[in-house]
Amino acid sequence: MRGSIFLIFGVFLLAATPAWSASCGNGPAGFEAWKQAFIAGSAQHGLKQRVVQRALKDVRYNPKVVRLDRNQKSFKLSFEQFYAKRVNNAMIRRGQKLGKTYGRIFKSIERKYGVPAPVILSIWGLETNYGSFSGNMPVLQSLATLAYDCRRARFFTNELVNALIIVQRRDMTPAEMKGAWAGEIGQTQFLASSYVKYAVDYDRNGRRDLIRSIPDVLASTANYLAKHGWRRGQGWAPGTANYKVLQKWNKAGVYVKAISVMAAKIGG
């Protein structure tokens, strides 16, 4: 997600091995040795070593990613400030237009998952301005760097493993997998663990592609919400069960309220 909140999606946790955890580092010196140890131990997570070797061949330590991770600042804007910064009338109008453009897909998605178009459009708009920019950093390099870095090695080792699962099941190639600095992927910014767990092949082309396939993007977002308890036919204002589901999408209160308010305006 661009320059705001680091999203925490539901994590499909795969424990880092003691060897990997012990070899974490706070600079580039030990990265190559760590990478080779990761490749050697990849089979224990159901990964094919040749796939991992090929995917990580050109991956190097990226100090920029570590700087960004270290420099995250607490989110202190009021809702009014946040909403004014992130949402405007043009964005609402574009959401309404896209709702009509993809009306058939949205109707099909709502029938299947119970999530109405305005909610998905709101998330899509807030995350990447409807796919205008979903990140251009190599995801595997970002995740490998953060998995090696000692600060959150266990969390990001899990995300790296899941990103490699995406490659192994041929949803995306390593070169195609570009995203935000912390590894969020696609037009609604899924972490790799959520991608593996909730992404769907809605256009039925044999791949779950959350970067280029709009049907896959929209349906996967709805699937995430549905799997977290979205209640069909009910509202999403603060205090509702569906608002609590939105809080599982993003833990920042101002962000969740922005999704709710923006979706109401798009739907209105």
Side-chain angles (χ1 to χ4, degrees):
M1 176 181 170
R2 283 186 299 168
S4 53
I5 307 163
F6 175 62
L7 303 183
I8 300 297
F9 293 91
V11 176
F12 183 52
L13 187 60
L14 300 170
T17 68
W20 292 344
S21 298
S23 63
C24 71
N26 293 310
F31 180 78
E32 187 61 29
W34 172 89
K35 186 176 81 169
Q36 295 306 319
F38 180 92
I39 293 168
S42 56
Q44 66 189 291
H45 291 307
L47 295 168
K48 297 176 182 177
Q49 188 168 326
R50 59 180 175 78
V51 172
V52 178
Q53 178 79 51
R54 189 163 55 244
L56 299 184
K57 179 182 177 182
D58 297 321
V59 165
R60 301 289 182 266
Y61 180 87
N62 187 344
K64 178 182 178 181
V65 171
V66 175
R67 286 197 303 272
L68 288 168
D69 185 54
R70 295 288 191 274
N71 293 331
Q72 291 185 88
K73 297 177 181 178
S74 58
F75 205 75
K76 296 180 179 179
L77 295 180
S78 68
F79 168 72
E80 290 74 19
Q81 290 170 324
F82 176 77
Y83 193 83
K85 183 177 181 179
R86 296 296 301 275
V87 183
N88 55 44
N89 289 334
M91 197 172 175
I92 298 294
R93 289 194 298 271
R94 189 177 178 204
Q96 292 169 334
K97 183 177 180 180
L98 287 168
K100 293 176 182 177
T101 300
Y102 298 104
R104 182 181 60 82
I105 293 173
F106 276 117
K107 287 178 183 177
S108 174
I109 287 171
E110 185 167 4
R111 282 196 300 270
K112 183 167 185 177
Y113 299 106
V115 183
V119 173
I120 303 171
L121 284 160
S122 178
I123 290 171
W124 191 17
L126 283 167
E127 293 292 353
T128 64
N129 195 15
Y130 307 108
S132 297
F133 186 77
S134 58
N136 56 14
M137 297 184 72
V139 166
L140 291 177
Q141 181 159 282
S142 293
L143 292 178
T145 298
L146 291 167
Y148 163 72
D149 185 65
C150 290
R151 195 167 89 87
R152 288 189 286 173
R154 181 184 176 94
F155 177 87
F156 282 108
T157 296
N158 175 63
E159 293 304 323
L160 177 60
V161 169
N162 277 280
L164 289 163
I165 290 172
I166 294 169
V167 173
Q168 182 167 283
R169 70 186 189 184
R170 299 182 180 179
D171 285 332
M172 285 190 289
T173 66
E176 291 169 335
M177 199 179 292
K178 299 282 182 71
W181 67 264
E184 300 96 331
I185 307 167
Q187 295 189 35
T188 53
Q189 298 286 270
F190 274 48
L191 288 178
S193 54
S194 290
Y195 200 120
V196 168
K197 198 169 185 179
Y198 303 110
V200 295
D201 176 22
Y202 209 69
D203 61 11
R204 299 182 181 180
N205 71 347
R207 303 171 67 193
R208 286 152 283 204
D209 185 351
L210 303 192
I211 293 178
R212 295 168 300 183
S213 171
I214 288 177
D216 289 3
V217 168
L218 303 180
S220 297
T221 305
N223 185 44
Y224 180 98
L225 296 174
K227 288 291 179 17
H228 282 82
W230 188 270
R231 297 189 183 181
R232 182 185 298 269
Q234 296 188 17
W236 56 83
T240 64
N242 285 337
Y243 193 82
K244 292 180 180 178
V245 174
L246 294 176
Q247 290 173 320
K248 295 176 182 178
W249 179 270
N250 191 297
K251 295 185 182 300
V254 292
Y255 198 95
V256 176
K257 189 173 181 180
I259 294 174
S260 176
V261 171
M262 184 176 170
K265 291 187 176 182
I266 289 173

